Amino acid sequence: MPIKNRFAELHADITEWRRDIHAHPEILFETHRTSALVAEKLRAFGCDEVVEGIGRTGVVGVIKGRTDNGKVVGLRADMDALPIHEATGLDYASKNEGAMHACGHDGHTAMLLGAAQYLAETRNFDGTAVVIFQPAEEGGGGGREMCEDGMMDRWNIQEVYGMHNWPGRPAGTFAIRPGPFFAAADQFEVVFEGKGGHAAKPHETVDTTLMAAQAIVAMQSIVSRNADPVEQMVVSVTGIQTQTMPFNVIAQTVTIRGTARTLSDANRDLAQKRITEVCEGIAATYGGVANVNYMRGYPIMANHDDQTEFAAKVAADVSGSCDSAPLVMGGEDFAYMLEERPGAYILMGNGDTAAVHHPEYNFNDDVIPMGCSWFAEMVEQSMPVQN
C-alpha cells in the first residue's frame, strides 16, 4: 500500500506542528511546552486516554480500534532537542538560545501526531494502539524512565516500534536490520594523580601529563589488539584537562574522558576491563595512581527478528522497498523499550541534508507523509479488522 491520501491532506498541518516544535526546542526532561502541545493535540484528536508525566515529562496516548482483541502495539517518538546553537537561518529557527532540534525529534513527534490523528479518525484496526512521546533521548535515558514508570505493563504493550530520520539516505526510503543495530554507549573518566612541580625540575615530580599521554596512545590498542577484529568497537578519548594551566607547571592531576561503543556484551565488558587495566598500569609504571570511573550508558539496541521482518514489509509497502541498514555505533535509548518488549527500530531517509547533531541540520518536511504512513500501517497491518 502506498502513502495514505489522508497524510497528503494533513501534510501542511503536520509541517506547521513540526516547525512550531522546531522553533521552541527543549532539552532532556524539560520538554514541558512540547509535552503539553502533544497532550493537547491527542485529546483534540479524540484519543481514548491521554496520560502525562510518564517518565517525568513523557506523554502516552491510547487509541482503541473497532474491537478489543487483546493485542496492543506501541509506537514511540522522541521529543527532546540538543544543547546546540542553531545555524540554519530558517525563519522558524530556534527561539531558545543554546537549544536546537538538531536530530529531527521535532519531525518524529510531528509524524507520530499525524499518525495518531489518522488512527483516531479511522479506527481501522482491531486492538489498541499506544502512542508514546518520550523526553530525554539525548543522554537522559527518558526511555528507561518511562519503562521504570511501568508504561509497558500499565497499558499491556506487547510490541513496540520506533523510527529515526537518516541524512544521506534518499528521502522517504527505509532501512532496517535484525539483531544488534545501535551500539552500547558508555563513558569513562580517568583522573591521574602524581606529584606536581616546576617544569624545570621534572625529576622532582611524578608527571601526570606523561601518564595521560601514554594512556591515550595505549588505549588505541584495545580495539586493534584486544577486540576480535571482525567485531565493531570504538574507544575514543575526547577530552584532557590539567589541574593547572601555566606553561611552567607540571600538574598534580590530569583528567581524561571519552566514550566506548560496543555491539556485544562481551566487548562491553572487555572495554571496561582493559581501559581500567591500561590506565592503572601506566600510572603505576610512572609512580602515580589512576582513578578510573567507567559509566555504563545506553545498552545495545537490538531489533527482534520477527518484528524486524514485519517492519521491513510495511516499509516496503509504503515506499516500494526496504534496504538493509548498516550497523550504527551511536547510542539510542529505544534500547530500553526493546529490552522490555519485542519490537524494531527503522531508519527513514532524510535526503541530502546536514548530518544529525550539526548546527545546520534540518528535518526534511517532504518525508512526513511517508513516516506517518509507516506508523499508521504498522498498526493497521499488525491488527487488521476481522470481518
Side-chain angles (χ1 to χ4, degrees):
M1 180 177 291
I3 297 164
K4 292 182 177 296
N5 291 335
R6 181 61 174 139
F7 294 123
E9 298 168 359
L10 291 171
H11 194 175
D13 289 342
I14 299 170
T15 298
E16 183 179 349
W17 307 340
R18 201 282 293 182
R19 295 184 178 186
D20 177 69
I21 295 169
H22 185 94
H24 301 90
E26 296 169 303
I27 294 171
L28 293 172
F29 291 99
E30 301 303 313
T31 58
H32 303 292
R33 181 187 186 277
T34 308
S35 298
L37 181 151
V38 165
E40 177 186 5
K41 291 199 176 298
L42 293 177
R43 292 188 178 103
F45 299 158
C47 290
D48 298 283
E49 185 179 2
V50 179
V51 180
E52 300 175 69
I54 305 298
R56 300 200 229 176
T57 47
V59 182
V60 173
V62 178
I63 306 167
K64 296 180 180 178
R66 297 185 184 182
T67 63
D68 183 4
N69 62 5
K71 185 166 183 179
V72 184
V73 171
L75 304 173
R76 172 269 204 176
D78 35 19
M79 299 186 291
D80 59 318
L82 283 155
I84 293 175
H85 180 76
E86 183 163 351
T88 62
L90 296 165
D91 57 4
Y92 55 87
S94 171
K95 300 180 186 300
N96 299 337
E97 184 66 27
M100 176 193 175
H101 270 293
C103 203
H105 296 185
D106 50 344
H108 305 163
T109 296
M111 290 188 296
L112 187 54
L113 281 173
Q117 179 173 356
Y118 167 84
L119 292 169
E121 288 174 353
T122 60
R123 313 277 175 158
N124 188 33
F125 59 96
D126 287 343
T128 302
V130 176
V131 288
I132 301 162
F133 295 86
Q134 178 207 307
E137 191 282 322
E138 297 289 359
R144 178 188 61 239
E145 296 277 339
M146 294 190 85
C147 289
E148 289 180 351
D149 262 1
M151 175 182 69
M152 296 298 186
D153 290 336
R154 178 171 176 176
W155 285 285
N156 191 32
I157 297 169
Q158 294 155 20
E159 298 177 6
V160 64
Y161 298 93
M163 177 200 300
H164 204 291
N165 78 96
W166 209 248
R169 281 198 59 79
T173 65
F174 293 89
I176 197 170
R177 67 181 300 122
F181 191 176
F182 280 57
D186 299 335
Q187 299 174 331
F188 58 86
E189 183 175 84
V190 185
V191 180
F192 294 94
E193 295 184 7
K195 180 182 178 183
H198 200 289
K201 299 179 180 181
H203 59 289
E204 295 179 359
T205 73
V206 176
D207 192 343
T208 51
T209 304
L210 181 60
M211 296 177 211
Q214 294 284 357
I216 291 170
V217 173
M219 275 194 277
Q220 305 313 307
S221 71
I222 296 171
V223 173
S224 66
R225 289 297 178 267
N226 298 137
D228 186 329
V230 302
E231 295 187 12
Q232 286 76 13
M233 178 192 288
V234 176
V235 176
S236 296
V237 177
T238 56
I240 180 168
Q241 182 177 2
T242 58
Q243 183 186 36
T244 54
M245 294 300 292
F247 288 96
N248 62 347
V249 174
I250 292 174
Q252 182 84 9
T253 65
V254 172
T255 301
I256 65 172
R257 59 181 58 87
T259 69
R261 297 168 184 273
T262 52
L263 284 162
S264 72
D265 291 333
N267 268 354
R268 197 177 196 186
D269 293 340
L270 174 66
Q272 180 171 3
K273 177 176 180 289
R274 290 300 293 141
I275 287 171
T276 302
E277 290 173 345
V278 165
C279 292
E280 290 180 347
I282 286 174
T285 298
Y286 290 100
V289 175
N291 298 300
V292 181
N293 182 19
Y294 191 95
M295 299 158 279
R296 294 210 170 196
Y298 295 169
I300 299 159
M301 192 195 75
N303 279 343
H304 297 252
D305 290 350
D306 291 346
Q307 286 71 29
T308 299
E309 183 179 354
F310 176 67
K313 174 192 175 301
V314 172
D317 289 345
V318 170
S319 68
S321 64
C322 184
D323 297 330
S324 176
L327 292 166
V328 179
M329 298 310 290
E332 169 54 65
D333 86 337
F334 190 63
Y336 293 109
M337 297 189 189
L338 290 179
E339 285 186 335
E340 293 223 355
R341 294 294 189 273
Y345 192 74
I346 198 166
L347 306 180
M348 181 179 67
N350 201 55
D352 185 17
T353 66
V356 294
H357 293 219
H358 190 281
E360 294 182 357
Y361 166 86
N362 188 34
F363 180 82
N364 184 351
D365 291 321
D366 290 343
V367 306
I368 284 173
M370 287 74 92
C372 292
S373 294
W374 183 82
F375 275 133
E377 282 292 321
M378 289 297 292
V379 170
E380 291 184 346
Q381 290 196 32
S382 63
M383 300 183 290
V385 172
Q386 301 298 316
N387 295 322

